[in-house]
Structure formats: C-alpha cells, structure tokens
Short mmCIF file of all heavy atoms in Angstrom, two decimals:
data_model
loop_
_atom_site.label_atom_id
_atom_site.label_comp_id
_atom_site.label_asym_id
_atom_site.label_seq_id
_atom_site.Cartn_x
_atom_site.Cartn_y
_atom_site.Cartn_z
N PRO A 1 94.81 101.41 90.14
CA PRO A 1 94.67 102.84 90.47
C PRO A 1 94.94 103.14 91.94
O PRO A 1 95.57 104.16 92.27
CB PRO A 1 93.22 103.15 90.09
CG PRO A 1 92.94 102.20 88.96
CD PRO A 1 93.66 100.93 89.35
N VAL A 2 94.53 102.27 92.84
CA VAL A 2 94.78 102.51 94.27
C VAL A 2 96.27 102.40 94.59
O VAL A 2 96.76 103.08 95.50
CB VAL A 2 93.92 101.58 95.16
CG1 VAL A 2 94.42 100.13 95.10
CG2 VAL A 2 93.86 102.08 96.58
N ASP A 3 97.01 101.61 93.83
CA ASP A 3 98.46 101.53 94.01
C ASP A 3 99.11 102.87 93.68
O ASP A 3 100.01 103.34 94.38
CB ASP A 3 99.08 100.46 93.10
CG ASP A 3 98.56 99.05 93.35
OD1 ASP A 3 97.87 98.84 94.36
OD2 ASP A 3 98.85 98.17 92.52
N VAL A 4 98.63 103.49 92.60
CA VAL A 4 99.15 104.80 92.21
C VAL A 4 98.83 105.81 93.30
O VAL A 4 99.70 106.62 93.67
CB VAL A 4 98.56 105.24 90.84
CG1 VAL A 4 98.98 106.66 90.51
CG2 VAL A 4 99.01 104.28 89.74
N ALA A 5 97.62 105.76 93.83
CA ALA A 5 97.25 106.68 94.91
C ALA A 5 98.17 106.50 96.11
O ALA A 5 98.62 107.49 96.72
CB ALA A 5 95.79 106.47 95.31
N ALA A 6 98.48 105.28 96.46
CA ALA A 6 99.37 105.01 97.59
C ALA A 6 100.78 105.51 97.32
O ALA A 6 101.42 106.11 98.19
CB ALA A 6 99.40 103.51 97.91
N ALA A 7 101.28 105.31 96.11
CA ALA A 7 102.62 105.77 95.76
C ALA A 7 102.68 107.30 95.83
O ALA A 7 103.66 107.87 96.34
CB ALA A 7 103.01 105.28 94.36
N ILE A 8 101.63 107.97 95.34
CA ILE A 8 101.58 109.43 95.41
C ILE A 8 101.55 109.88 96.87
O ILE A 8 102.25 110.82 97.27
CB ILE A 8 100.36 109.97 94.64
CG1 ILE A 8 100.51 109.71 93.15
CG2 ILE A 8 100.16 111.46 94.90
CD1 ILE A 8 99.24 109.94 92.35
N LEU A 9 100.74 109.21 97.68
CA LEU A 9 100.62 109.54 99.10
C LEU A 9 101.99 109.45 99.78
O LEU A 9 102.40 110.35 100.51
CB LEU A 9 99.62 108.59 99.77
CG LEU A 9 99.37 108.80 101.24
CD1 LEU A 9 98.60 110.10 101.48
CD2 LEU A 9 98.56 107.61 101.79
N LEU A 10 102.71 108.37 99.51
CA LEU A 10 104.04 108.19 100.10
C LEU A 10 105.04 109.21 99.59
O LEU A 10 105.87 109.71 100.34
CB LEU A 10 104.54 106.77 99.85
CG LEU A 10 103.81 105.70 100.67
CD1 LEU A 10 103.99 104.33 100.04
CD2 LEU A 10 104.31 105.72 102.10
N GLU A 11 104.93 109.56 98.32
CA GLU A 11 105.83 110.56 97.77
C GLU A 11 105.58 111.93 98.43
O GLU A 11 106.51 112.66 98.75
CB GLU A 11 105.65 110.68 96.26
CG GLU A 11 106.57 111.71 95.64
CD GLU A 11 106.28 111.98 94.18
OE1 GLU A 11 105.10 112.06 93.80
OE2 GLU A 11 107.25 112.12 93.43
N MET A 12 104.31 112.25 98.65
CA MET A 12 103.97 113.55 99.24
C MET A 12 104.31 113.62 100.73
O MET A 12 104.81 114.63 101.20
CB MET A 12 102.47 113.83 99.08
CG MET A 12 102.05 114.12 97.66
SD MET A 12 100.31 114.61 97.46
CE MET A 12 99.44 113.84 98.78
N ARG A 13 104.02 112.55 101.46
CA ARG A 13 104.14 112.60 102.92
C ARG A 13 105.38 111.92 103.47
O ARG A 13 105.68 112.05 104.65
CB ARG A 13 102.91 111.96 103.54
CG ARG A 13 101.65 112.70 103.15
CD ARG A 13 100.61 112.62 104.19
NE ARG A 13 99.39 113.22 103.70
CZ ARG A 13 98.20 112.78 103.97
NH1 ARG A 13 98.05 111.73 104.74
NH2 ARG A 13 97.14 113.39 103.50
N GLY A 14 106.07 111.15 102.64
CA GLY A 14 107.23 110.44 103.13
C GLY A 14 106.83 109.12 103.78
O GLY A 14 105.69 108.67 103.63
N PRO A 15 107.74 108.49 104.50
CA PRO A 15 107.47 107.17 105.08
C PRO A 15 106.21 107.18 105.97
O PRO A 15 105.99 108.11 106.74
CB PRO A 15 108.71 106.90 105.92
CG PRO A 15 109.78 107.73 105.29
CD PRO A 15 109.09 108.97 104.80
N LEU A 16 105.42 106.12 105.81
CA LEU A 16 104.19 105.98 106.58
C LEU A 16 104.06 104.54 107.08
O LEU A 16 104.51 103.60 106.41
CB LEU A 16 102.96 106.30 105.73
CG LEU A 16 102.80 107.72 105.21
CD1 LEU A 16 101.63 107.80 104.23
CD2 LEU A 16 102.60 108.69 106.36
N ALA A 17 103.42 104.38 108.21
CA ALA A 17 103.09 103.04 108.70
C ALA A 17 102.02 102.45 107.80
O ALA A 17 101.20 103.17 107.22
CB ALA A 17 102.59 103.13 110.14
N VAL A 18 102.01 101.13 107.71
CA VAL A 18 101.02 100.45 106.88
C VAL A 18 99.60 100.83 107.34
O VAL A 18 98.72 101.07 106.52
CB VAL A 18 101.23 98.92 106.91
CG1 VAL A 18 100.12 98.20 106.17
CG2 VAL A 18 102.58 98.55 106.33
N GLY A 19 99.40 100.93 108.64
CA GLY A 19 98.09 101.30 109.17
C GLY A 19 97.66 102.69 108.73
O GLY A 19 96.48 102.94 108.47
N THR A 20 98.61 103.61 108.64
CA THR A 20 98.29 104.97 108.19
C THR A 20 97.89 104.96 106.72
O THR A 20 96.93 105.64 106.32
CB THR A 20 99.50 105.90 108.41
OG1 THR A 20 99.85 105.89 109.79
CG2 THR A 20 99.19 107.32 107.97
N ILE A 21 98.59 104.19 105.91
CA ILE A 21 98.22 104.06 104.49
C ILE A 21 96.81 103.50 104.39
O ILE A 21 95.98 103.99 103.62
CB ILE A 21 99.23 103.17 103.74
CG1 ILE A 21 100.61 103.81 103.75
CG2 ILE A 21 98.76 102.91 102.30
CD1 ILE A 21 101.72 102.88 103.27
N SER A 22 96.54 102.48 105.18
CA SER A 22 95.22 101.87 105.20
C SER A 22 94.13 102.89 105.54
O SER A 22 93.11 102.97 104.86
CB SER A 22 95.22 100.72 106.22
OG SER A 22 93.98 100.08 106.26
N GLU A 23 94.37 103.69 106.57
CA GLU A 23 93.40 104.72 106.98
C GLU A 23 93.23 105.77 105.90
O GLU A 23 92.10 106.16 105.59
CB GLU A 23 93.87 105.39 108.27
CG GLU A 23 93.69 104.57 109.51
CD GLU A 23 94.25 105.28 110.74
OE1 GLU A 23 94.26 106.53 110.75
OE2 GLU A 23 94.67 104.58 111.66
N GLU A 24 94.33 106.26 105.36
CA GLU A 24 94.26 107.33 104.36
C GLU A 24 93.52 106.91 103.10
O GLU A 24 92.84 107.71 102.48
CB GLU A 24 95.67 107.80 103.98
CG GLU A 24 96.35 108.60 105.06
CD GLU A 24 95.71 109.96 105.28
OE1 GLU A 24 95.27 110.60 104.30
OE2 GLU A 24 95.65 110.39 106.44
N LEU A 25 93.68 105.64 102.72
CA LEU A 25 93.05 105.17 101.49
C LEU A 25 91.74 104.43 101.75
O LEU A 25 91.08 104.00 100.80
CB LEU A 25 94.02 104.27 100.71
CG LEU A 25 95.30 104.97 100.25
CD1 LEU A 25 96.21 103.99 99.53
CD2 LEU A 25 94.99 106.17 99.36
N GLY A 26 91.38 104.28 103.02
CA GLY A 26 90.12 103.62 103.36
C GLY A 26 90.09 102.15 103.00
O GLY A 26 89.06 101.63 102.57
#
C-alpha cells in the first residue's frame, strides 16, 4: 500500500528527491 501511495505522490507532484518522498510518507 505504501508503494501505491508513493506512486500516486510522484504522479501528482512529478519528480521528487528520495528524501522528499521519505518526508512526505513518514
């Protein structure tokens, strides 16, 4: 489920640094 959340996040916001993904998903 967290993988899906990350894929949605990237689709909505575009390219992100790994650290930003980490912060956004806690």
Side-chain angles (χ1 to χ4, degrees):
V2 72
D3 300 349
V4 174
I8 293 168
L9 181 69
L10 288 160
E11 180 188 41
M12 290 185 332
R13 299 210 186 143
L16 295 172
V18 175
T20 303
I21 297 169
S22 181
E23 285 177 29
E24 288 291 323
L25 298 178

